[in-house]
Amino acid sequence: MKFLTGFSRFLSVVFSPMLTATYGVALAMLLSYLSFSPLKARVTVTAVTFAATCAIPVIAIFMLYRLGSVKEPGLNNREDRTVPYLVATACYVGTAVYTRFVNAPMWLSMFLIGGAVSLAVLTIVNRWWKISGHATGMGGLTAVIFFLMYSGSSVGGLMPEFIAAVILSGMVCTARLILRRHTLAQVAAGFINGFFCVFAAAWWLGPLFSAR
């Protein structure tokens, strides 16, 4: 039981919602035709994504914790999540704008917009019900791979990667259940939220904005 608890905590840290945007952009750089872009450009975009969607929200949470506005840095209390989620949403939007300035594909920007929308959903619903942020992040990450595979933007077949993402998502969601942070309904809702928002933004909104 101690091993399961420890491993669940490990998965929760490694696949924190703060990191999934960085993982998603990194996967896009490796698995799509962007892999043919200069290494410096790919590293720069990934680093900016990490700074904006991970480092800034973490600093904001730490500051809120020191000010007493957040009870614990892990945001396990539903009441603590509103302001950090709003900060993270703004950071996602800002990163999406940045990717447009560096002429990244529209679908890459839409991945981030989809992430922002999923965070907005979390922020609103969280006032009444605690949807899993970890599951939302994993749903978005899985959607990135599914989009690349389904849209033909990948450099090869991604079925093994997609299956691995689904299995890994199941492991992370199970970890949240083992740690008793969420119910089955909350992790299921989170995964659906993340997957739908990210895929829908890239698949439907991307071509709409590209046409303008």
Side-chain angles (χ1 to χ4, degrees):
M1 189 63 183
K2 288 184 178 180
F3 171 78
L4 284 178
T5 301
F7 187 59
S8 296
R9 288 174 178 163
F10 171 78
L11 287 176
S12 295
V13 171
V14 174
F15 295 99
S16 165
M18 301 293 183
L19 292 170
T20 47
T22 303
Y23 293 155
V25 170
L27 284 174
M29 296 296 175
L30 291 172
L31 302 178
S32 74
Y33 57 77
L34 292 176
S35 60
F36 299 110
S37 302
L39 177 61
K40 182 179 179 180
R42 288 182 283 146
V43 171
T44 299
V45 172
T46 305
V48 169
T49 301
F50 172 79
T53 63
C54 180
I56 292 177
V58 166
I59 292 172
I61 291 170
F62 178 74
M63 292 177 63
L64 289 168
Y65 175 68
R66 292 297 298 270
L67 291 171
S69 299
V70 169
K71 296 178 182 178
E72 54 180 311
L75 303 181
N76 293 314
N77 295 309
R78 181 168 53 84
E79 297 79 9
D80 291 344
R81 297 185 169 195
T82 301
V83 175
Y85 278 0
L86 289 174
V87 171
T89 300
C91 289
Y92 268 74
V93 173
T95 309
V97 173
Y98 161 76
T99 59
R100 298 306 304 142
F101 275 113
V102 296
N103 297 317
M106 180 62 75
W107 50 259
L108 184 65
S109 301
M110 288 299 108
F111 285 160
L112 294 159
I113 292 297
V117 172
S118 70
L119 278 168
V121 171
L122 285 180
T123 304
I124 295 170
V125 177
N126 186 69
R127 297 180 67 84
W128 299 277
W129 196 51
K130 186 181 174 185
I131 294 181
S132 172
H134 281 78
T136 296
M138 294 307 298
L141 193 61
T142 304
V144 168
I145 298 176
F146 184 72
F147 174 85
L148 294 176
M149 177 178 66
Y150 193 68
S151 66
S153 300
S154 64
V155 292
L158 297 183
M159 185 56 71
E161 289 83 355
F162 176 68
I163 293 174
V166 172
I167 293 174
L168 191 57
S169 296
M171 292 173 63
V172 173
C173 290
T174 301
R176 303 307 289 169
L177 295 177
I178 291 174
L179 295 174
R180 297 183 180 180
R181 301 301 188 193
H182 295 284
T183 65
L184 180 59
Q186 289 169 343
V187 295
F191 184 85
I192 293 170
N193 175 41
F195 187 93
F196 178 79
C197 288
V198 172
F199 182 79
W203 187 255
W204 286 302
L205 293 183
L208 180 64
F209 282 98
S210 296
R212 294 186 176 183

